């Protein structure tokens, strides 16, 4: 799982191994680690290696669909 700040698309890992049962706890950790900023939890499906393949845990939307995806790189 990865925590993503929606304001700039910056992300950092929460766990390298997670199951759907971990998502709620990981989402709470993500929010706690980003005080004052909106953050969402994403996961990479098995076999996916790139961030653009990551999906949101709360709607299964691709990371690349975020309005600020990869904005932190600019």
């Amino acid at each position: 799982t990865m925590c993503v700040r929606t304001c700039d698309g910056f992300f950092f890992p929460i766990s390298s191994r997670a199951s759907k049962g971990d998502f709620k706890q990981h989402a709470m950790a993500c929010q706690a680690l980003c005080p004052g900023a909106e953050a969402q939890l994403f996961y990479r499906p098995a076999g996916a290696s790139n961030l653009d393949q990551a999906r949101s845990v709360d709607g299964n939307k691709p990371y690349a669909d975020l309005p600020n995806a990869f904005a932190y790189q600019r």
Side-chain angles (χ1 to χ4, degrees):
T1 52
M2 296 172 294
C3 184
V4 175
R5 284 191 318 233
T6 58
C7 63
D8 61 2
F10 181 79
F11 66 95
F12 55 91
I14 297 291
S15 175
S16 61
R17 294 187 181 258
S19 67
K20 288 185 180 185
D22 299 319
F23 287 173
K24 184 176 180 179
Q25 181 181 0
H26 290 192
M28 291 187 322
C30 177
Q31 288 297 319
L33 292 167
C34 294
E38 182 182 340
Q40 290 183 336
L41 189 68
F42 281 74
Y43 72 97
R44 280 190 288 217
S49 59
N50 297 324
L51 180 61
D52 57 349
Q53 295 171 313
R55 311 295 287 189
S56 66
V57 299
D58 63 351
N60 205 34
K61 296 178 183 174
Y63 169 83
D65 284 0
L66 286 175
N68 291 319
F70 301 107
Y72 70 93
Q73 294 177 340
R74 295 186 282 272

